[in-house]
């Protein structure tokens, strides 16, 4: 585990891939936990049965973090002129926009979608039941918000449906960078796909 689960932490472990997959993607199969102020956000249940940990090709998460962590750490404003205290409120307000000008309408929602891709890992779920979590810098803190209400139609639910928490930016930065570096180190030790790993590592770092 990297960090303190009562503040912010990440925990992962490689496990046996249950599918007939090949290559680095297959070798990255594992369990992943994200803890924010004592809440583990990634475990889920199906049809209200026992909660299980998130388990998938962790390649997708690490790739997304490597590409977008530098962006999240910037003290940037939300790119659309709407008011809201959290990412969830800003995105909800963004949906109220309307225009008879097709180009203006498309530009607005393209800007919204681009921000979502860079601040939520949901687009990189790779077919898994990943919660919808947003990461946004607010001064010296990172706002972590999530909305999992009616996220999947297959009876999948999460113990923490909606919420917002804040963690110090230094802790957020250190924990995720330590996770990425350890993940790459351990994946390098187990993989036989050296060329593929080198390209992935270069992209992530």
């Amino acid at each position: 585990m990297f960090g303190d689960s009562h503040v912010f932490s990440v925990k992962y472990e490689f496990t046996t891939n249950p599918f007939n997959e090949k290559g680095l993607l297959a070798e990255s199969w594992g369990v992943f936990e994200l803890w924010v102020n004592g809440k583990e956000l990634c475990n889920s249940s199906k049809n209200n049965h026992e909660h299980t940990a998130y388990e998938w090709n962790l390649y997708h998460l690490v790739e997304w973090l490597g590409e977008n962590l530098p962006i999240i750490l910037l003290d940037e404003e939300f790119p659309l002129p709407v008011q809201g205290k959290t990412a969830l409120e800003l995105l909800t307000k963004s949906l109220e926009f309307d225009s008879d000008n097709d180009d203006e309408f498309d530009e607005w929602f393209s800007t919204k979608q681009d921000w979502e891709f860079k601040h939520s890992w949901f687009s990189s779920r790779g077919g898994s039941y990943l919660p919808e979590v947003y990461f946004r810098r607010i001064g010296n803190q990172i706002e972590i918000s999530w909305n999992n209400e009616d996220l999947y139609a297959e009876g999948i639910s999460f113990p923490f449906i909606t919420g917002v928490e804040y963690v110090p930016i230094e802790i957020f930065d250190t924990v995720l960078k330590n996770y990425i570096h350890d993940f790459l180190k351990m994946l390098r030790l187990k993989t036989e796909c050296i060329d593929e790993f080198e390209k992935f590592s270069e992209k992530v770092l």
Side-chain angles (χ1 to χ4, degrees), residues 112-132:
K112 171 183 174 292
Q113 186 179 62
D114 183 62
W115 189 91
E116 288 182 281
F117 285 159
K118 294 174 180 177
H119 291 79
S120 173
W121 59 24
F122 191 68
S123 61
S124 294
R125 63 192 181 277
S128 68
Y129 295 124
L130 188 66
E132 187 172 44

Side-chain angles (χ1 to χ4, degrees), residues 4-160:
D4 181 348
S5 63
H6 295 291
V7 182
F8 180 72
S9 70
V10 164
K11 182 178 180 180
Y12 84 101
E13 180 183 1
F14 289 119
T15 54
T16 302
N17 191 313
F19 303 112
N20 187 29
E21 296 178 312
K22 303 295 182 183
L24 197 66
L25 183 70
E27 295 172 335
S28 74
W29 187 271
V31 172
F32 177 87
E33 298 178 7
L34 180 76
W35 290 83
V36 183
N37 294 335
K39 300 178 176 69
E40 204 291 290
L41 301 184
C42 294
N43 72 83
S44 63
S45 65
K46 187 169 186 177
N47 298 322
N48 294 319
H49 291 160
E50 183 178 353
H51 284 276
T52 57
Y54 177 80
E55 188 172 5
W56 203 254
N57 305 107
L58 301 185
Y59 180 107
H60 300 295
L61 282 179
V62 173
E63 182 179 44
W64 185 86
L65 286 170
E67 292 178 356
N68 295 290
L69 184 57
I71 298 171
I72 294 167
L73 293 172
L74 292 176
D75 195 8
E76 62 175 4
E77 297 291 330
F78 189 72
L80 295 172
V82 296
Q83 298 297 314
K85 294 181 180 180
T86 69
L88 298 181
E89 291 181 4
L90 291 166
L91 290 168
T92 298
K93 287 292 184 180
S94 300
L95 292 173
E96 297 176 1
F97 178 79
D98 196 9
S99 174
D100 293 331
N101 186 308
D102 289 343
D103 290 338
E104 185 180 45
F105 185 86
D106 290 343
E107 182 179 358
W108 178 281
F109 282 96
S110 177
T111 300
K112 171 183 174 292
Q113 186 179 62
D114 183 62
W115 189 91
E116 288 182 281
F117 285 159
K118 294 174 180 177
H119 291 79
S120 173
W121 59 24
F122 191 68
S123 61
S124 294
R125 63 192 181 277
S128 68
Y129 295 124
L130 188 66
E132 187 172 44
V133 182
Y134 294 90
F135 307 93
R136 182 173 73 119
R137 179 171 179 172
I138 306 293
N140 293 322
Q141 292 186 310
I142 295 294
E143 173 195 285
I144 301 175
S145 57
W146 61 93
N147 182 9
N148 300 315
E149 189 171 11
D150 301 323
L151 190 59
Y152 299 105
E154 298 87 349
I156 301 297
S157 61
F158 297 84
F160 302 105

